[in-house]
Amino acid sequence: MQIWLPNPSATFSGAQKWVTAKFAVDFSTSVATIAALKNRIKSYSESKPQHWSSNHNVVVKDIVSLNQMNMALYVNHTINFQNYGEKSSRRSELVIELKKIFEE
């Protein structure tokens, strides 16, 4: 399985404080592997209820030339979006955890 992980982005609208982490997996990655990936991400998100709301989502955005599938993880902060330092720290921790999951 190959993973491409560009810089995550953040979207803040109203009371929602969403963080988006975009990544891509090789097209040949099995459905079972993608399901396991989603479960690992879910476990991580649910293990940090002080950081993330439970309403996260992992989606396949599109397939590129039958070579890769672009995906995205959407998670919602539990803090005020104006707390930039903490928000950045949590996002960094999330991306590092994604890297660990991808490496396994």
Side-chain angles (χ1 to χ4, degrees), residues 19-39:
V19 170
T20 304
K22 297 177 183 177
F23 57 95
V25 298
D26 190 82
F27 183 75
S28 64
T29 304
S30 72
V31 173
T33 300
I34 292 171
L37 172 69
K38 287 181 173 185
N39 284 333

Side-chain angles (χ1 to χ4, degrees), residues 54-104:
S54 61
N55 59 340
H56 71 283
N57 199 7
V58 178
V59 298
V60 176
K61 301 288 284 181
D62 52 34
I63 297 173
V64 179
S65 302
L66 296 179
N67 291 325
Q68 72 182 38
M69 293 185 295
N70 292 330
M71 301 181 72
L73 165 64
Y74 301 99
V75 291
N76 192 356
H77 279 285
T78 58
I79 60 170
N80 184 311
F81 72 93
Q82 294 174 338
N83 188 344
Y84 184 77
E86 180 65 19
K87 177 180 63 76
S88 295
S89 176
R90 288 181 185 187
R91 184 173 54 201
S92 177
E93 183 181 317
L94 174 67
V95 172
I96 290 169
E97 186 64 27
L98 286 174
K99 181 182 182 315
K100 290 177 188 175
I101 291 169
F102 296 151
E103 289 175 341
E104 294 178 355

